[in-house]
Amino acid sequence: MRVPPLPADRWDEDVDDALRVMLPRRLRNPESASNALSTLARHPALTKAFLTLNVHLLFRSPLPARLREIAILRVAHLRGCVYEWDHHHEAALAEGITVEEIARVTRGEATGTVEQLVLRAVDELDEKSNLSDATWDGLCAHLDEHQRMDLIFTIGTYNMLAAAFNTFGIRSEYER
């Protein structure tokens, strides 16, 4: 790992304050926090700022959770981010996305029109940091303005996280 989790003896009030944005008190410790959060805790100010956005995208966004998870899985697949894939594979299953549907995400295939548009949006943003008019218009037919904005920010945020996780060498808790 290039950037290992913060050692337990360095967890202080700044770290606790940064993680408070996302975690209840009982999980704000080196044994309970994820490898990702334990690593991000090395930079409390950045972590607190980032988690404010991430909490919105994960828990407060009007974008349906199913679409969010499909987008994140596609990003994780395209970026080869094992950490993101493992964690969001579990989240997708919890949202009722089947193992077969998850496998389709890796091929850029979806069962429904709006889900296919989400996959296309991930791919287009990956290719040119922009959406074609056809993809945008298709999303407009299915998602309201806030949902579309949150989709774009979700895709961008998880691309950024994949770059950070891969670069820092953050290990998935699911790795054997």
Side-chain angles (χ1 to χ4, degrees):
M1 293 199 315
R2 290 177 175 162
V3 181
L6 185 68
D9 64 345
R10 292 187 44 208
W11 283 61
D12 59 17
E13 288 180 30
D14 289 339
V15 171
D16 188 68
D17 186 50
L19 297 178
R20 177 178 289 118
V21 175
M22 180 174 259
L23 297 177
R25 177 69 194 121
R26 64 182 170 75
L27 298 178
R28 292 192 309 260
N29 61 74
E31 294 79 35
S32 300
S34 67
N35 287 342
L37 291 177
S38 294
T39 300
L40 294 177
R42 290 179 153 289
H43 192 334
L46 175 65
T47 299
K48 185 175 184 178
F50 170 73
L51 289 180
T52 300
L53 170 62
N54 198 230
V55 164
H56 169 78
L57 296 174
L58 288 174
F59 305 115
R60 298 186 183 129
S61 172
L63 182 68
R66 179 178 177 86
L67 298 180
R68 177 194 69 229
E69 293 306 324
I70 287 170
I72 293 170
L73 285 172
R74 184 68 178 161
V75 168
H77 172 71
L78 292 176
R79 295 282 164 247
C81 186
V82 173
Y83 189 93
E84 223 170 56
W85 179 267
D86 286 352
H87 283 261
H88 287 278
H89 183 276
E90 293 303 311
L93 292 172
E95 291 299 333
I97 301 171
T98 68
V99 171
E100 176 53 36
E101 289 172 315
I102 292 170
R104 287 184 193 141
V105 167
T106 66
R107 299 187 301 266
E109 302 168 359
T111 54
T113 302
V114 68
E115 293 167 0
Q116 191 63 53
L117 285 163
V118 166
L119 292 174
R120 190 178 333 147
V122 173
D123 291 354
E124 289 180 9
L125 288 170
D126 181 55
E127 291 169 15
K128 57 187 176 185
S129 296
N130 197 357
L131 295 183
S132 66
D133 289 339
T135 300
W136 181 255
D137 292 345
L139 290 170
C140 287
H142 298 279
L143 303 175
D144 69 28
E145 184 175 66
H146 288 180
Q147 291 170 323
R148 291 188 311 270
M149 291 176 75
D150 280 2
L151 174 64
I152 301 308
F153 272 87
T154 297
I155 294 166
T157 297
Y158 280 85
N159 268 304
M160 177 190 65
L161 275 178
F165 292 172
N166 287 343
T167 300
F168 299 162
I170 296 175
R171 292 190 181 116
S172 172
E173 290 83 359
Y174 298 103
E175 284 187 73
R176 290 166 179 69

